[in-house]
Amino acid sequence: MKPVKNLLGEYKGVLVFMALMVVFRSAIADYNMVPSGSMLPTVLIGDRILVDKMAYDLRVPLTHIRIARLNEPKRGDIVTVDSKQAGELLLKRVIGLPGDVVELRDNVLYINGQAASYSRAAMQALPGDGGDPAAYRDERLGGMSHLVRLSESHPSLRSSYGPVVVPAEHYLMLGDNRDNSADSRFYGFFGRDELMGRTRRIAFSLDAERGYLPRFDRTGRLLDGAAE
């Protein structure tokens, strides 16, 4: 036992640091890799996003147990969701708040009967658009404004959806890549207790198509539609 005690004493500082990092990343802030394109063009595959885990709740580290309810999600927030229905961690945008009536008509969003406005976005095609040409639009509704990607050749079978009423303690969420996103149109409403945090910035980004070279222009970038 003595060698073990000596070893623990020698590396006590490292062990304490590691324990604090686990607590910090599980309950305060973390960064997550984005493996899919459901939030294109806002979040690219290979982006590492900063996640504020105290944006909405204070939780017991390494658990989903809520200690305190700090804030409520706002329309347009980009959030991480530990979805029971999907069985994985998702990254989506909050569209419908509790009590809202939400509808999509040929990819035109309506909330409580008000239609979003769309203007053409001046941006270059993204990697992969060659096989699936897309139109990029600035979607505006109330105080929410962000880019969406609309496939020109493969529109989603759920480009029309609803109208549905968002129940209490639940949220309707969509991906910005409207024709290629498994979101509330597939999994239904997401419960308040499934929200793990909010993201507003990219930590750093690696381009898998170029040997995982860093995308320096995306480091620290504020995400589209996110407020400071």
Side-chain angles (χ1 to χ4, degrees), residues 95-96 100-116 118 139 141 158-166 172 174 178 185 189:
I95 298 295
D100 281 345
V101 179
V102 182
E103 183 179 6
L104 279 171
R105 301 178 196 168
D106 294 326
N107 272 330
V108 175
L109 176 65
Y110 290 78
I111 299 180
N112 299 324
Q114 181 181 357
Y118 296 85
E139 180 178 79
L141 182 56
R158 305 198 184 191
S159 58
S160 292
Y161 168 80
V164 294
V165 180
V166 184
L172 186 144
L174 299 175
R178 290 289 163 79
R185 293 170 290 177
F189 305 109

Side-chain angles (χ1 to χ4, degrees), residues 5 9 12 21 41 50-51 57 85 92-94 97 100 109 116 119 130 134 141 158 197 202 210 214 216 219 223 226:
K5 288 182 179 180
K12 182 171 66 175
M21 283 300 297
L50 292 171
V51 179
D57 298 308
Q85 185 69 17
K92 302 298 174 187
R93 190 182 294 274
V94 176
L97 303 178
D100 281 345
L109 176 65
S119 57
L141 182 56
R158 305 198 184 191
I202 298 167
R210 299 176 59 239
F216 292 111
T219 301
L223 293 173

Side-chain angles (χ1 to χ4, degrees), residues 163-184:
V164 294
V165 180
V166 184
E169 292 292 298
H170 287 76
Y171 297 86
L172 186 144
M173 302 187 194
L174 299 175
D176 291 349
N177 190 356
R178 290 289 163 79
D179 290 311
N180 189 15
S181 173
D183 44 41
S184 285

